[in-house]
Amino acid sequence: MDKPAYRLFSGKGKSVKYKKVLKELAAADVVFFGEQHNDPIAHWLELELAKDLYQIHGKNLVIGMEMWEADTQSEIDSFLMGQLEEAVFMERSRVWPNYTTDYRPVLLFAKENGLKVIATNVPRRHARTVARESLNSLDTLSQQEKAWLAPLPIMVDMELPGYKRMRSMFGDTHGASAASSKMIEAQALKDATMAHYIHQNLQPGQHLLHLNGSYHSDHQEGIIWYLRKLRPESKLKTITTVAQPSLEDLGKDHLQRADVVLVVPETMTKTY
């Protein structure tokens, strides 16, 4: 009996081959790879996709990453240019705990091939403040700190299905909880800021591969909702990662979650 490590499906649930997926993604201006942060298959495929898109786009490929915050861009640039030792880079850029296993390979690939890497996420200190106090707390920040955010004020559509699902995760089924509203605002701050930095850095003729948690791009929401307002003409494609007991068919709950759905076994080993 075969034990495949993954399978790819279209959003409609049709099994698709990687070759066809690559052709479709290569035609996009921005590809969002929605990962489960501890899934090794997703991290492996991110690297493979980056390599294959580089073969197609060359130096016109840009990589954007949720895993670094906008105020660490200079550290990323210095590391990629060989001006900063990795240990120093890791400390100064506040790498995620799973950096070595999951994100270092992509970063080193970019370094070896002279590719630009964009830190797109909001500094976590500001997201934490919003989660405690609401988006209004950002008004008192200095201009220097506001430079690391999407332009204020940030509009939040609380009726987006993804944000409504967040409410239910916090047990708030009626939309009346101030605590859940603040958590959604913090999520929206991240989404809006990532969209802002993608828009700000993507130049004509370039193609961007963005790595993020799947919740930030599933169902064409999150980052994509904000980016479409900034550049409605751009062609966007999405991948998401899900786990299932069986890889035979795509579960109904995962239909239309993304243009491409990467399905891995529920028993797959995790990186943490």
Side-chain angles (χ1 to χ4, degrees), residues 11-189:
K12 295 181 180 179
K14 181 180 179 181
S15 178
V16 290
K17 298 295 186 182
Y18 177 78
K19 184 177 180 180
K20 181 180 180 182
V21 168
L22 176 62
K23 184 177 180 180
E24 292 178 358
L25 299 183
D29 299 306
V30 184
V31 175
F32 292 89
F33 199 125
E35 63 172 46
Q36 300 300 319
H37 296 315
N38 62 356
D39 185 87
I41 298 299
H43 295 304
W44 165 76
L45 195 59
E46 286 169 345
L47 178 61
E48 292 300 309
L49 180 60
K51 291 177 179 178
D52 291 334
L53 289 176
Y54 174 68
Q55 290 300 314
I56 297 169
H57 300 310
K59 294 295 180 67
N60 282 325
L61 176 65
V62 179
I63 298 175
M65 301 185 74
E66 174 199 0
M67 299 79 203
W68 277 277
E69 298 154 34
D71 61 344
T72 67
Q73 186 65 55
S74 61
E75 282 75 19
I76 292 177
D77 293 342
S78 295
F79 176 69
L80 294 179
M81 291 187 289
Q83 299 172 348
L84 202 60
E85 292 184 2
E86 188 169 19
V88 178
F89 161 74
M90 290 174 65
E91 180 180 359
R92 291 184 181 176
S93 72
R94 308 189 294 274
V95 299
W96 286 16
N98 57 325
Y99 161 76
T100 303
T101 54
D102 299 342
Y103 306 115
R104 183 176 187 265
V106 173
L107 202 64
L108 291 185
F109 174 75
K111 182 179 182 181
E112 291 165 3
N113 293 282
L115 300 181
K116 179 74 173 176
V117 175
I118 307 299
T120 60
N121 209 351
V122 67
R124 67 192 72 175
R125 59 185 178 273
H126 299 317
R128 287 171 179 162
T129 299
V130 170
R132 290 194 311 266
E133 303 176 19
S134 86
L135 282 169
N136 293 332
S137 64
L138 301 176
D139 295 336
T140 60
L141 293 178
S142 67
Q143 289 304 119
Q144 183 177 0
E145 287 298 312
K146 287 180 180 177
W148 308 125
L149 315 174
L152 301 179
I154 293 171
M155 180 174 63
V156 184
D157 185 351
M158 292 288 184
E159 294 304 309
L160 285 175
Y163 293 159
K164 291 175 78 171
R165 283 192 294 272
M166 278 189 70
R167 282 198 187 279
S168 64
M169 288 168 58
F170 289 102
D172 179 11
T173 56
H174 300 291
S177 167
S180 66
S181 293
K182 293 172 185 176
M183 292 300 296
I184 292 170
E185 288 185 355
Q187 179 84 354
L189 172 63

